[in-house]
Amino acid sequence: MSVRDAIIQKVNEEKLVSKQVTESSNLYTDLGFDSLSFAYLLIEIEETYSVAFDLTEIETCLEVGRLIALVEDKMRGCGKGDA
């Protein structure tokens, strides 16, 4: 499963509304995330892909596509798998 598909699946599991998840979906305004569900999602992603987010990165990845791109960039930077 690609990183994109896996992250979208994780978002689908955590979202609080019944909207379809797309790369342009905003986790808060479109999918009903709150700070706790967002933190939980990020922790799951960090553990799954052995990456770590810093505060400035977290502030920029409220959109699903940006979150996917950030994880893929981090994985490429660490030489982990093919994103």
Side-chain angles (χ1 to χ4, degrees):
M1 178 180 297
S2 72
V3 171
R4 177 193 175 280
D5 293 341
I7 290 175
I8 287 177
Q9 180 179 346
K10 285 184 183 296
V11 170
N12 268 315
E13 292 168 2
E14 299 299 321
K15 71 180 178 173
L16 303 174
V17 297
S18 61
K19 289 187 177 179
Q20 180 178 348
V21 176
T22 67
E23 289 190 25
S24 63
S25 298
N26 181 290
L27 294 167
Y28 281 83
T29 59
D30 297 329
L31 303 176
F33 276 65
D34 59 17
S35 56
L36 185 58
S37 55
F38 181 59
Y40 184 73
L41 174 68
L42 293 178
I43 290 167
E44 279 194 2
I45 291 171
E46 286 179 329
E47 290 175 352
T48 299
Y49 296 103
S50 300
V51 297
F53 300 110
D54 64 39
L55 187 57
T56 56
E57 291 171 328
I58 290 170
E59 294 171 348
T60 67
C61 64
L62 299 179
E63 191 173 272
V64 173
R66 175 65 188 121
L67 180 58
I68 292 167
L70 179 60
V71 172
E72 290 175 340
D73 288 347
K74 286 182 165 293
M75 291 177 65
R76 274 192 294 274
C78 295
K80 296 177 184 170
D82 47 73

